[in-house]
Amino acid sequence: MEPFVRGRFEHYDPAYLSPDPGFTHAHLTVLAPFLPAPDPEALEVAAGIVAPTAPIAFTLHRLETFPNGVIYLAPEPDDPFRTLTERFVAAFPQFPPYGGAFPEIVPHVTLDQTSAEVSVESTRSRLGHAVPVACVADRVDLAWYEPHRSRVLTSWPLGRPAVRAGSP
């Protein structure tokens, strides 16, 4: 999925292409916006949320469209992602998903935007044999999005206790 989504970034907004090898353009957002400069305490809270969450096996094959025309792949099952987001919102209530713009949490991988040239059918055709695809989410990344500077700030593995600084 990464080559397809990266290609859409190249087409629409190359300033957001990341040279960071750990940065994944094809992603499921857990919580955005988030703290612009998280302090060590907030990072520890986030690590505590992620640690007991087992890696999530899921499949991407169903294309959907939001009312605003964004075409996306819906993960199946999606409950583990919804639960993870709900846990982050409970810990950071000042940051509702997408600034509270949408009434419900809809886990998704953004693919494209409908237009005169782009439809669900054309997107499905461009995806070709890339879907269906079986996936495993094994980490949560804290990503920074900024033109020419998008990168991963920190990453927490799912299902593993966080290692504190100075720990073996």
Side-chain angles (χ1 to χ4, degrees):
M1 205 50 47
E2 178 67 5
F4 181 88
V5 174
R6 186 176 174 88
R8 300 322 288 159
F9 272 88
E10 288 170 356
H11 175 76
Y12 288 115
D13 203 348
Y16 284 92
L17 286 172
S18 178
D20 179 349
F23 189 91
T24 306
H25 297 84
H27 65 276
L28 285 118
T29 299
V30 173
L31 185 61
F34 192 62
L35 295 163
D39 60 27
E41 183 180 326
L43 294 175
E44 192 168 315
V45 169
I49 293 168
V50 173
T53 304
I56 303 166
F58 64 101
T59 302
L60 294 171
H61 67 87
R62 186 170 45 92
L63 271 92
E64 298 285 342
T65 307
F66 286 120
N68 65 1
V70 169
I71 301 169
Y72 65 93
L73 280 166
E76 293 178 6
D78 68 354
D79 285 341
F81 297 105
R82 191 180 326 279
T83 298
L84 191 56
T85 295
E86 289 168 348
R87 292 177 65 209
F88 267 86
V89 170
F92 301 97
Q94 70 275 36
F95 295 103
Y98 299 101
F102 307 102
E104 73 177 274
I105 298 166
V106 180
H108 64 281
V109 176
T110 299
L111 296 178
D112 218 325
Q113 175 71 45
T114 57
S115 68
E117 298 82 31
V118 178
S119 66
V120 171
E121 295 75 27
S122 69
T123 301
R124 187 181 324 280
S125 178
R126 282 190 196 112
L127 283 169
H129 297 293
V131 291
V133 61
C135 306
V136 175
D138 62 358
R139 70 184 193 275
V140 171
D141 293 337
L142 177 57
W144 181 260
Y145 285 85
E146 180 181 354
H148 309 290
R149 296 189 48 168
S150 295
R151 63 197 182 281
V152 173
L153 299 177
T154 193
S155 188
W156 300 283
L158 291 174
R160 286 189 253 156
V163 177
R164 293 177 184 236
S167 296

